[in-house]
Amino acid sequence: MKYVLLVIAVAAVAARAESPVALYYHEAAGIAQAARIKQAELALDFDGSRIIGGAAAAVGTYPFLVGLVITLSTGATSVCGSSMLSNTRALTAAHCWWDGRNQARQFTLVFGSARLFSGGTRVASSSVQMHAAYSPTTLSNDVAIISFSSVPYSNVVRAVALPSGSLLSNNFAGSWVQAAGYGKTSDAAGISQNQFQSHVSLQVITNAACAQFFGGIIVSSTLCTGGSGGVGTCSGDSGGPLVLSSGGQRVLVGVTSFGSSRGCQAGFPSGFARVTSFLSWIQARL
């Protein structure tokens, strides 16, 4: 999932020197992955696991996961993920719309589909509001709201819960969370026309621990998950959900944002926009 990140605790300790985060998502990851999908129309490479160290997720397992097929202003195609907040709103990463070099022209939102490029309910939208303080060079405030024509709920299409109560003051360090998306399984893996949803469990680490890898780019509104054990997100997962199971439901706590420029398997944490830091901004736009 996403376009950066993970693995091997020993390597992470040995390579504790700070790493730059991966920037300019569309040219660094999204466009290339979309192109590989088009070139593999007839490929059937589904091997049971998408996301690094994860597993395939049946349709409806994450009914709030909304795929994004992106048309850039240049006419190129890219891919991201998002989370359904209501019948007419979804939350994604701001860099999916504007990554500092590449401007999106339109999102095609994909609801209730195991695959990103076929099936499900598909709705086009160019109505996107990025956070006013979003920085494409530091990926701070990396959140955006997508408005779209109403999509009915079903068994496989449902809005995600937002944090409330005691979760509002929780930094989630040590908690196990789940990430879901349509992205790659390793730096070397491709994405096919038959790309499936997948998911993985990750453990939240403290921002202080994350800053040992990324330095001052880690701020209070960042949430990080560890990279040990060979699990994480990779190309194609940007903007997708990170959820915590609480009170019998999945609660959105992060938006997939960044990782190491060294790639998905370099042993570095994953970075997410911390949803509790943006809750009032999000709720004002629902």
Side-chain angles (χ1 to χ4, degrees):
M1 291 170 50
K2 194 178 64 173
Y3 66 102
V4 282
L5 169 112
L6 258 184
V7 124
I8 305 183
V10 174
V13 172
R16 189 58 65 89
E18 291 179 13
S19 168
V21 299
L23 299 177
Y24 313 122
Y25 168 76
H26 292 298
E27 63 190 64
I31 295 172
Q33 299 319 313
R36 292 173 92 168
I37 296 172
K38 289 183 177 180
Q39 292 167 4
E41 287 183 337
L42 301 178
L44 296 173
D45 70 351
F46 176 57
D47 62 3
S49 63
R50 290 291 168 222
I51 288 183
I52 300 172
V59 176
T61 305
Y62 296 89
F64 45 81
L65 171 61
V66 181
L68 298 179
V69 178
I70 304 167
T71 302
L72 300 176
S73 59
T74 60
T77 299
S78 188
V79 292
C80 268
S82 65
S83 299
M84 189 177 193
L85 300 176
S86 74
N87 288 108
T88 59
R89 300 288 187 275
L91 180 67
T92 190
H95 75 255
C96 291
W97 187 247
W98 162 244
D99 69 4
R101 288 181 181 168
N102 303 279
Q103 176 66 61
R105 185 172 67 208
Q106 179 178 277
F107 287 156
T108 297
L109 294 88
V110 183
F111 299 86
S113 178
R115 296 177 176 135
L116 184 56
F117 278 76
S118 63
T121 299
R122 312 173 78 82
V123 178
S125 175
S126 298
S127 179
V128 179
Q129 184 176 0
M130 299 185 297
H131 194 286
Y134 160 61
S135 169
T137 56
T138 66
L139 294 176
S140 59
N141 306 299
D142 189 17
V143 290
I145 293 285
I146 311 167
S147 300
F148 52 89
S149 300
S150 183
V151 173
Y153 292 139
S154 69
N155 290 338
V156 296
V157 177
R158 185 71 51 180
V160 69
L162 290 170
S164 61
S166 62
L167 294 181
L168 298 177
S169 58
N170 194 330
N171 71 1
F172 306 111
S175 298
W176 285 94
V177 290
Q178 294 77 45
Y182 295 91
K184 290 170 62 177
T185 58
S186 72
D187 290 324
I191 297 179
S192 80
Q193 185 73 23
N194 297 281
Q195 189 74 355
F196 279 64
Q197 284 186 23
S198 56
H199 59 150
V200 67
S201 291
L202 304 168
Q203 190 169 30
V204 178
I205 61 175
T206 65
N207 280 17
C210 196
Q212 293 181 26
F213 292 88
F214 295 120
I217 202 167
I218 305 303
V219 294
S220 60
S221 59
T222 306
L223 184 150
C224 293
T225 56
S228 64
V231 294
T233 60
C234 201
S235 295
D237 294 318
S238 278
L242 186 74
V243 294
L244 173 77
S245 294
S246 177
Q249 62 182 349
R250 291 191 178 98
V251 179
L252 187 68
V253 296
V255 177
T256 305
S257 180
F258 65 84
S260 172
S261 62
R262 299 182 189 182
C264 299
Q265 296 175 293
F268 289 82
S270 301
F272 301 80
R274 186 180 293 271
V275 170
T276 53
S277 297
F278 301 102
L279 193 58
S280 60
W281 182 88
I282 292 168
Q283 291 175 327
R285 288 155 180 80
L286 293 181

